[in-house]
Amino acid sequence: MTTGFSCIAGAVFATYISFGACPRYLLSATVMSAPGSLACSKILYPETEQSQLVNIEDLELPKGEETNMLESVSNGAVMAIQLVVAIIANLIVFLALLALLNSVLGWMGELVGQQGWSFEAKQLFPSLFFDLFQLFLGYIFFPLAFVMGVTNPEETFIVAQSMGTKTALNEFVAYKQLGQLVKQDKLSPRSAMIATYALCGFSNFTSIGIQLGTLGGMAPSRKRLLSQLALRSLLAGCISCFLTASLAGVLIDQPILCRPQNEKEHCFDVNKFI
């Protein structure tokens, strides 16, 4: 679960690039976060007992009951449909919970004479609450952004807000905001690079539904354990992404800056690979 929270899927790779994220950073972030997620998961959920699968010979895979290839293909298709439906159902439920929170906040705002209180992006729903929410996230993640290598106070606060937006909402909103900040020259190449690494992962509350739907569909008997470990795995995924960003800040001396309108200058042309 931690690895799923700390990495991204290839299906959203081109989308992040279109927002202005450098593909070099996205690729390397996924590779770096994979082993880091294993370390973070062991720290937050230490293995106190000896594993039953010390040797590869101890691993016993159950044999399928299918008698031929056609039956295997048919059963696999049915299982895949069930898995997809489970993912969609969990995602709808978690998005519905977010919509419920938005409705409650909107109702509370109307009680005090404020319209449009919402957790959504400011471009869609301008509101005083979103400004306060962004300010709150900036203060929460400010120490982390500073420790990761963003030492300019103004840029540190901006990167901290992006990290908070990615965790509270999703990485799509965060990367879109990051691309706009880079386009407006509000971030240096180093700060934008560290932010790109820090945002590269599915470690947000919406992804919990996807994780439970995917892994719960593959192992229905372990669904209760998965739900108990969901928040801890989310925390480990966030830590893994931030560690990757910190390591990138140490290793990369001359960061490049990819802008949404001229990604061909430093990176490859997205349209050729879609």
Side-chain angles (χ1 to χ4, degrees), residues 104-117 126-129:
V104 173
L105 289 173
W107 174 73
M108 294 174 61
E110 292 178 357
L111 293 179
V112 296
Q114 296 290 335
Q115 300 292 330
W117 280 18
S127 65
L128 175 63
F129 177 81

Side-chain angles (χ1 to χ4, degrees), residues 82-199:
Q82 295 175 350
L83 183 60
V84 171
V85 171
I87 295 174
I88 295 176
N90 280 271
L91 185 58
I92 291 175
V93 169
F94 276 82
L95 291 178
L97 290 176
L98 179 60
L100 175 62
L101 291 177
N102 287 335
S103 300
V104 173
L105 289 173
W107 174 73
M108 294 174 61
E110 292 178 357
L111 293 179
V112 296
Q114 296 290 335
Q115 300 292 330
W117 280 18
S118 171
F119 279 115
E120 301 294 338
K122 186 177 180 180
Q123 290 78 5
L124 300 178
F125 300 97
S127 65
L128 175 63
F129 177 81
F130 187 83
D131 293 333
L132 297 177
F133 182 62
Q134 287 280 80
L135 185 65
F136 174 75
L137 293 177
Y139 283 118
I140 291 295
F141 287 89
F142 187 92
L144 291 175
F146 182 82
V147 172
M148 287 161 51
V150 186
T151 55
N152 185 294
E154 295 182 359
E155 295 183 0
T156 304
F157 195 79
I158 293 175
V159 173
Q161 287 181 328
S162 299
M163 293 165 55
T165 301
K166 173 247 186 178
T167 305
L169 298 178
N170 57 60
E171 68 282 352
F172 286 95
V173 178
Y175 269 124
K176 187 173 183 179
Q177 292 179 350
L178 179 63
Q180 294 173 352
L181 293 171
V182 171
K183 187 177 180 180
Q184 298 170 4
D185 293 325
K186 292 185 177 181
L187 290 177
S188 63
R190 176 176 173 81
S191 299
M193 179 265 297
I194 294 177
T196 302
Y197 276 97
L199 302 181

